[in-house]
Structures are given as C-alpha cells and as structure tokens.
C-alpha cells in the first residue's frame, strides 16, 4: 500500500525523538524495566497557578473556535513577555499563536520556502528542522560543528555555506541537543556575515530560553539590523512543563505573521481555547516562578556530567542550558560489545537500549553522527541507575 502514499510522505523520515520514546514505552508495556532518557520533556507537573487558569477557563465556557492567530489577550501578554525577557518590541499583529512551537516552525518554513531553496542548519540541530525543510521540498545544508567548539559554528563556516539559493538559517540557543548557548558577541559576529546576504531569513528557536544555568540567552532579533529578517519562535512546553498543552508562538515581521495565519487557517485553525487561556497566565509569569525546575535540572546536569565523565570513551561538553547531554561516543566505534558490533551512533544507542535498558537518541538524527543525546529530565534516582547500567555494559 505504501506505493499509494505521496512522494512527500515517503521522503519524510520518522521523528527519531518520538520514535525512540514510543519504542521505550512499548518495551515498558512488555514488562521491561526501561529508563527512558530519550524524550525532551520536563518530568514536573504543570504549576498549579497555570492549571487553575485552565480550570477557570473551562468553567467560564471557553469552548468556541479561537481567532486563528490567537486570543488578543494572549498576544498582548506575549508582546509584554518579549519586552520583559528579550528586549524585543513586537506589536500584536506580529504575533501568531500555534499548536506548539513545532507548528510555528512548520508554518514559517511553509510560507518562506520554495522547492530548491537552501536552508542552513548548524549541526547538531533538532531532528524536525531537516524534516520540515524536506517537506517544503527545500534542501537542508548542514554546517558541522564538534565538541571542540562547544558545538557552535563560526562566522567563517556560515559564510562558506551560503550560496545564492540560501533562503533561511535556523538558530537554536540554548540548543537541543547540545545545550550550547550563543553569546551576544557570537551572535553579532554571525549577524555580520548575514548583513551581506539580505535574501536570508533567520529562524531563532528560543524554546529553551528559561532553562539556562547562568548565562541568559540573547535573542537574535535584538540585533538592530536583523529584526526585520528574524522570526523568533518560542512556546510553553519546556519552561512551564506544558508539553502536552501544545502552545507555541512567534514574533515576526507582520507580513510573515500574516502569511503564517493564512497557512494555519487552512490547516488547523486557532490553537486550543483552554490551553490558550492558561497560556495567558503562563507567559505573564516572570521566569522566577519556574526557577525551581531550572535549579533541579542544573543539579541533575551536574550529577550526570560527573557520572558520565567517569566512563572511559565518553567525551562531553558542559551544556549551559536545555536538559540534554550530547556525548561524543565515537571512541566505541569499531568495537564489539556483548557480541554487538558498534559501527555508528545508532548501533551504540541500540546497544544501550537492548543491554542496559536505557533509551537515548542517536546523534545521526541531529546531524552529529559521533554523538548520542541523553535527556536528564528524569529523576536523580533514574539517572544514577541509568549511568550505572551503561557503565556495566561498557566495562
Ligand atoms: N522536542 C522534544 C525532543 O527533542 C520533544 C520531541 C519532539 O517533538 O521532537 O525530545
């Protein structure tokens, strides 16, 4: 039957983050004691003050279709948030609320990319960037980086990757999967290159902005002459432990926002009414309201770095944000462990799943084939047990 499917869907890879999470769930259901470090999802409950706003919205009978681009009160609150946290001035007509930041990104790609356009992806990059570009029949071009540069690209690399066909570049700081954060200075140096190429639009994915361990991330659109070419993407999932509520949003030049609203109006309509009402309360809250989660993530990061650092063959950067470690495990390539030949990161990730019952995601999905991603959005007990099992398998 797959022959009947479109070329579009046949050319689309499965999301490796979601696939690994599904596999871990399936094995758990079969009774296996799996520790899943695959999915990037806070293991906290949504804070009560946000849940209460949702309950109130239900009781107030918010049940009708929502404006396609989001409730006016929510867009106002998002404008305030951009001013408060990011030094960015957006008007409500520049804001579009969507069903998760993933839809925001898909909208932007759909409205800006034509077949054959090139999209630059500093690697490692989040798995769905490349898939979304592929869906638009655009070509994604990876700009490689490694642990030696803290997984960040240089202005020279950016310059070298640009061609007359380059239409967009995707930045993500703090990064999923590396946790790296571009400083203002580093972003300004990249912007200097982009100044010379006015046909290129910048998607700045800032979904992990609040999950940082000291260095507050800088918003790319805050660079004066980049504002008109940058789309700032954010959402509620990570900072407020609201992954399932599915609320993302953008701040963008008004003509891009308008196009995204048109796209969304034909595909999903406005985002969920109750989640949007709760989102007003969430984005209006200052980041200190969720600092307890960030503090907990930091303490787990330190534990994981300490424990993994004691395993020979794991080379790790110090992630400054998000909740992932992205070790380079290429030292194991070519070895045979428990009768399994490790040729690449996928083999290694599979070894950990089958022999240690620990689910991770292969770096190949993120454009970094020497690494694996491990989410430390899990309890300290689970993290300690996971590393213990990994150590046993590798020793
Ligand atoms: N963004 C999260 C991750 O990378 C959630 C899964 C997904 O949508 O990819 O694990």
């Amino acid at each position: 039957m797959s022959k009947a499917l479109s070329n579009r869907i046949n050319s689309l890879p499965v999301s490796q983050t979601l696939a690994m999470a599904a596999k871990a769930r399936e094995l758990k259901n079969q009774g296996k004691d799996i520790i899943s470090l695959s999915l990037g999802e806070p293991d906290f409950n949504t804070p009560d003050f946000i849940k209460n706003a949702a309950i109130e919205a239900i009781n107030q009978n918010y049940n009708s279709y929502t404006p396609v681009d989001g409730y006016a009160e929510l867009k106002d609150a998002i404008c305030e948030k951009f001013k408060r946290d990011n030094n960015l001035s957006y008007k409500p007509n520049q804001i579009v609320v969507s069903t998760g930041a993933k839809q925001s990104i898909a909208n932007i790609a759909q409205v800006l990319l034509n077949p054959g356009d090139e999209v630059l992806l500093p690697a490692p990059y989040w798995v769905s960037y490349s898939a979304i570009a592929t869906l638009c029949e655009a070509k994604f071009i990876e700009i490689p980086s490694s642990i030696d540069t803290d997984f960040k690209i240089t202005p020279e690399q950016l310059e070298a990757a640009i061609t007359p066909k380059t239409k967009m570049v995707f930045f993500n700081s703090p990064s999923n999967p590396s946790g790296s954060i571009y400083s203002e200075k580093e972003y300004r140096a990249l912007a200097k290159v982009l100044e010379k190429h006015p046909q290129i639009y910048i998607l700045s994915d800032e979904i992990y902005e609040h999950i940082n361990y000291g260095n507050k991330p800088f918003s790319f659109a805050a660079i004066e002459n980049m504002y008109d070419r940058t789309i700032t993407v954010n959402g509620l999932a990570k900072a407020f432990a609201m992954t399932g509520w599915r609320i993302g949003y953008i701040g963008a030049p008004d003509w891009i926002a308008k196009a995204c609203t048109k796209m969304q109006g034909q595909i999903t309509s406005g985002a969920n009414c109750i989640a949007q009402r709760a989102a007003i309360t969430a984005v209006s809250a200052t980041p200190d309201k969720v600092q307890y989660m960030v503090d907990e993530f930091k303490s787990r990061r330190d534990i994981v770095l300490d424990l993994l650092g004691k395993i020979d063959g794991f080379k790790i950067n110090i992630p400054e944000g998000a909740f992932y470690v992205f070790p380079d495990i290429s030292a194991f390539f070519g070895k045979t462990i428990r009768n399994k030949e490790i040729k690449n990161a996928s083999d290694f990730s599979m070894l950990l799943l089958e022999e240690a019952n620990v689910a991770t995601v292969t770096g190949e999905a993120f454009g970094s084939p020497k690494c694996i991603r491990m989410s430390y959005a899990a309890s300290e007990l689970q993290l300690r047990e996971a590393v213990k099992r990994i150590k046993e398998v590798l020793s």
Side-chain angles (χ1 to χ4, degrees):
M1 283 311 279
S2 74
K3 272 199 193 134
L5 293 173
S6 67
N7 297 340
R8 190 177 308 112
I9 194 66
N10 281 334
S11 68
L12 195 70
V14 167
S15 162
Q16 287 299 317
T17 47
L18 301 184
M20 200 51 159
K23 191 161 181 102
R25 221 173 283 136
E26 187 191 311
L27 291 171
K28 256 187 212 168
N29 289 343
Q30 287 169 12
K32 285 217 165 138
D33 176 20
I34 300 287
I35 300 177
S36 182
L37 308 183
S38 57
L39 202 57
E41 165 158 75
D43 57 329
F44 290 94
N45 291 324
T46 304
D48 283 344
F49 72 98
I50 301 173
K51 289 198 289 197
N52 289 337
I55 293 164
E56 211 172 291
I58 294 173
N59 288 331
Q60 287 176 352
N61 296 311
Y62 277 96
N63 42 237
S64 310
Y65 283 128
T66 58
V68 174
D69 51 348
Y71 284 125
E73 297 95 312
L74 177 54
K75 297 204 303 170
D76 286 343
I78 291 169
C79 290
E80 280 302 311
K81 175 257 171 293
F82 273 132
K83 218 169 282 156
R84 182 191 68 209
D85 298 338
N86 311 96
N87 198 22
L88 291 176
S89 215
Y90 286 116
K91 297 204 172 65
N93 62 344
Q94 296 178 274
I95 307 293
V96 182
V97 178
S98 299
T99 303
K102 197 183 276 191
Q103 188 187 21
S104 300
I105 295 166
N107 281 342
I108 295 158
Q110 290 280 355
V111 306
L112 284 178
L113 295 173
N114 278 317
D117 283 345
E118 292 178 0
V119 179
L120 302 181
L121 301 181
Y125 51 83
W126 177 49
V127 294
S128 292
Y129 293 162
S130 49
I132 286 170
T134 303
L135 260 187
C136 298
E137 296 175 56
K139 194 170 160 201
F140 66 89
I141 311 286
E142 295 175 351
I143 308 180
S145 73
S146 74
I147 204 160
D148 303 322
T149 56
D150 189 26
F151 293 111
K152 293 189 238 181
I153 61 158
T154 62
E156 293 73 28
Q157 282 183 292
L158 178 62
E159 180 79 70
I162 293 173
T163 75
K165 288 190 178 161
T166 310
K167 182 73 183 281
M168 291 187 78
V169 55
F170 283 31
F171 291 134
N172 176 213
S173 167
S175 154
N176 172 7
S178 72
S180 305
I181 296 182
Y182 281 91
S183 67
E184 176 175 351
K185 197 167 156 223
E186 286 164 336
Y187 258 173
R188 285 190 183 275
L190 294 172
K192 269 255 159 309
V193 174
L194 294 167
E195 264 174 27
K196 293 182 265 169
H197 304 277
Q199 85 281 8
I200 302 176
Y201 290 86
I202 301 96
L203 185 151
S204 176
D205 180 351
E206 304 181 4
I207 188 87
Y208 291 95
E209 72 163 324
H210 291 316
I211 305 171
N212 70 79
Y213 308 124
N215 291 330
K216 201 173 162 302
F218 179 77
S219 289
F220 199 82
I223 301 172
E224 305 69 34
N225 54 0
M226 291 292 123
Y227 177 84
D228 284 336
R229 296 161 55 183
T230 302
I231 304 101
T232 307
V233 178
N234 213 322
L236 304 186
K238 312 296 180 183
F240 299 99
M242 292 176 73
T243 50
W245 297 63
R246 308 309 300 135
I247 295 290
Y249 56 85
I250 59 164
D254 58 349
W255 59 275
I256 296 180
K258 210 166 150 195
C260 288
T261 304
K262 183 171 155 192
M263 173 62 62
Q264 186 163 293
Q266 291 288 23
I267 295 179
T268 53
S269 302
N272 175 283
C273 52
I274 307 305
Q276 281 202 56
R277 298 314 297 181
I280 298 172
T281 301
V283 292
S284 302
T286 46
D288 56 289
K289 297 274 191 318
V290 289
Q291 187 60 36
Y292 65 96
M293 293 192 240
V294 182
D295 292 344
E296 182 62 32
F297 287 135
K298 180 169 189 296
S299 126
R300 294 175 192 176
R301 177 200 67 169
D302 293 343
I303 291 167
V304 169
L305 286 180
D306 177 51
L307 296 175
L308 286 181
K310 291 180 185 142
I311 302 181
D312 274 349
F314 271 67
K315 213 172 133 190
I316 322 176
N317 67 322
I318 299 178
E320 289 299 324
F323 34 59
Y324 309 104
V325 283
F326 197 58
D328 178 326
I329 43 76
S330 57
F332 296 96
F333 294 178
K335 299 202 165 147
T336 299
I337 303 168
R338 303 233 170 145
N339 288 328
K340 293 189 166 88
E341 199 190 335
I342 309 300
K343 295 184 292 300
N344 50 43
S346 297
D347 289 346
F348 189 79
S349 177
M350 214 30 95
L351 173 83
L352 299 189
L353 181 66
E354 287 167 359
E355 299 293 329
N357 283 346
V358 175
T360 58
V361 185
T362 172
E364 279 156 12
F366 303 90
S368 288
K370 290 182 171 178
C371 302
I372 58 164
R373 190 188 79 172
M374 305 167 80
S375 160
Y376 52 85
S379 73
E380 184 181 328
L381 210 69
Q382 282 179 312
L383 292 169
R384 286 187 185 278
E385 173 65 18
V387 182
K388 188 172 138 234
R389 290 186 196 174
I390 292 172
K391 210 169 168 178
E392 271 165 22
V393 169
L394 298 177
S395 61

